[in-house]
Amino acid sequence: MPKKRREETSSTREPPLPNPEEGTTLCVIERLLGADYILARCADGMTRKVRIPGSMRRRVWMREGDLILVAPWDFKPERGDVIYRYSKDEVRRLVEKGVIPEELLELIEAEEAE
């Protein structure tokens, strides 16, 4: 039986950008809480308890200091779901475009220094 081929790689696809109309925001992982939950500092100034959905649980590994895209819940805005985790290369491209706010850049650099 032939092996399955991978579809597109992440480098050829453009990563999703935060869209206030859809309610998505950029966040930096502060702490991994366990049981598929993360404590994340968001660009809007809130610290949210964020859930990793089942489609990402064993496919996407997350560490403290990673930049993620979060969709806050409508009925409980202090909680949310992870939509996407940005790679280091994608973060660099977003910085060049000016999409990432300064306070998130400082958090990312602080986590990398530790």
Side-chain angles (χ1 to χ4, degrees):
M1 221 173 155
K3 289 187 177 184
K4 292 182 183 178
R5 291 188 178 179
R6 286 191 172 183
E7 293 181 18
E8 291 182 41
T9 60
S10 61
S11 62
T12 60
R13 236 179 25 220
E14 188 66 27
L17 297 174
N19 188 352
E21 294 171 0
E22 294 176 359
T24 58
T25 182
L26 288 173
C27 299
V28 175
I29 298 174
E30 282 189 344
R31 194 167 18 143
L32 301 171
L33 300 175
D36 302 319
Y37 283 94
I38 295 171
L39 196 64
R41 171 82 47 148
C42 297
D44 57 4
M46 289 186 69
T47 300
R48 289 188 169 89
K49 186 176 181 183
V50 180
R51 183 177 65 96
I52 302 171
S55 61
M56 295 179 78
R57 280 194 186 133
R58 290 179 183 87
R59 293 174 182 83
V60 181
W61 295 100
M62 300 189 189
R63 297 181 308 268
E64 292 178 5
D66 282 351
L67 186 71
I68 56 176
L69 186 64
V70 172
W73 294 350
D74 294 334
F75 56 93
K76 206 171 190 179
E78 66 274 2
R79 303 279 301 268
D81 288 324
V82 176
I83 295 177
Y84 188 78
R85 182 188 64 89
Y86 294 98
S87 67
K88 299 288 182 190
D89 195 37
E90 291 168 341
V91 170
R92 186 179 42 77
R93 277 190 256 145
L94 291 176
V95 168
E96 289 172 359
K97 288 182 181 179
V99 176
I100 301 175
E102 288 296 321
E103 60 268 6
L104 285 183
L105 279 176
E106 292 169 4
L107 281 173
I108 292 170
E109 291 168 359
E111 290 292 334
E112 286 177 357
E114 290 178 1

